[in-house]
Amino acid sequence: AAVLAPDDLWDDATTTAGADVRKQLLHRAHLLGGDIRVANPGGGNFSAKGELVDQLGRPTEVMWISAWGADGALLRTPELACLRVEDVRAARDDEALCTETMHGFLSGCATTTGQPHPAIETLLHAYLRAPHVDHTHPEAVIALTAVDDGRALAKKVFGDEAIWVDYEQFGPDLARRLASEIDDRPDVRFALLANHGLMTWGRTSEECYRNTIEAARRAWEGLDAARSR
């Protein structure tokens, strides 16, 4: 089957700068999750950071993120986990935090009990300073990273704007390494997860969305140019 570039479906009329951050998150997830060229059905995860007032009246930075297995195309507010960002980041350098203990740790960072389990990439979502972060599976990006000369092709297509990550199961170690590399390279806009997918982020929901679409379209154009040769 042909690999196709996704369309930019952003509609400024449906999201404004003053809109609730959760509504911005849901709108973005619906657009990305509803396009099979960008996200596997039922796959990917989407987050947004904002502020809540805790039980003592203190403003607290929190992050809403889609639950493990939630379908972005149909994402609803009850399928968002809400975590205290400061608590998640506090364990960034704790090497005792591993895949086996990660889910229990994240449950302890939740603002309320009984929340759905957050996605496996949650640590990276929290470590990144950008307010909006997405993990998707654009077929063009996966195809680009799966070919034999994918790394060289990705370098030609993205230059220094993307980080290449060799495939491995996502967990605390990968989240720490990738977050540190992104921190050290402020010009980076995309993380290409070889044979897996894509991470993007942005200061606004619109910027995050359009970074995902741009990455997928650039990957498609690189594949098309390689095929035409």
Side-chain angles (χ1 to χ4, degrees), residues 18-223:
D20 180 271
V21 67
R22 282 166 289 189
K23 292 181 180 179
Q24 296 179 32
L25 168 58
L26 293 175
H27 175 64
R28 191 173 78 245
H30 294 164
L31 291 179
L32 295 173
D35 189 338
I36 60 172
R37 295 166 294 185
V38 177
N40 293 333
N45 40 75
F46 315 90
S47 73
K49 300 178 183 73
E51 189 174 270
L52 288 180
V53 176
D54 70 10
Q55 60 185 351
L56 297 178
R58 299 170 299 188
T60 303
E61 184 181 14
V62 299
M63 179 180 75
W64 291 277
I65 185 167
S66 54
W68 193 318
D71 187 345
L74 303 172
L75 190 64
R76 301 174 300 119
T77 301
E79 295 172 300
L80 298 177
C82 185
L83 309 174
R84 294 181 294 273
V85 174
E86 183 179 2
D87 289 359
V88 180
R89 289 177 178 165
R92 177 169 169 174
D93 297 324
D94 183 1
E95 295 184 1
L97 182 62
C98 61
T99 302
E100 290 72 22
T101 61
M102 178 177 61
H103 299 298
F105 168 74
L106 290 174
S107 294
C109 298
T111 56
T112 60
T113 59
Q115 295 189 31
H117 292 297
I120 195 171
E121 291 86 4
T122 294
L123 292 176
L124 180 59
H125 282 256
Y127 294 163
L128 296 182
R129 298 293 171 177
H132 299 270
V133 182
D134 288 335
H135 168 51
T136 52
H137 307 100
E139 58 180 9
V141 172
I142 295 174
L144 181 77
T145 62
V147 298
D148 290 340
D149 58 347
R151 185 188 287 267
L153 189 55
K155 180 66 175 178
K156 184 175 182 179
V157 171
F158 291 97
D160 294 328
E161 291 186 289
I163 293 173
W164 174 285
V165 182
D166 287 327
Y167 178 78
E168 66 177 272
Q169 180 66 40
F170 223 98
D173 288 341
L174 178 56
R176 282 189 286 263
R177 296 199 314 270
L178 186 50
S180 295
E181 188 166 359
I182 293 171
D183 286 345
D184 292 340
R185 296 174 56 185
D187 293 334
V188 163
R189 300 170 55 213
F190 320 102
L192 309 178
L193 310 177
N195 299 44
H196 180 183
L198 173 74
M199 296 290 307
T200 55
W201 50 92
R203 293 163 295 180
T204 65
S205 189
E206 178 183 355
E207 181 182 37
C208 190
Y209 170 82
R210 289 210 154 113
N211 281 345
T212 296
I213 299 300
E214 180 184 337
R217 297 183 76 164
R218 287 169 70 172
W220 178 84
E221 290 166 1
L223 287 168

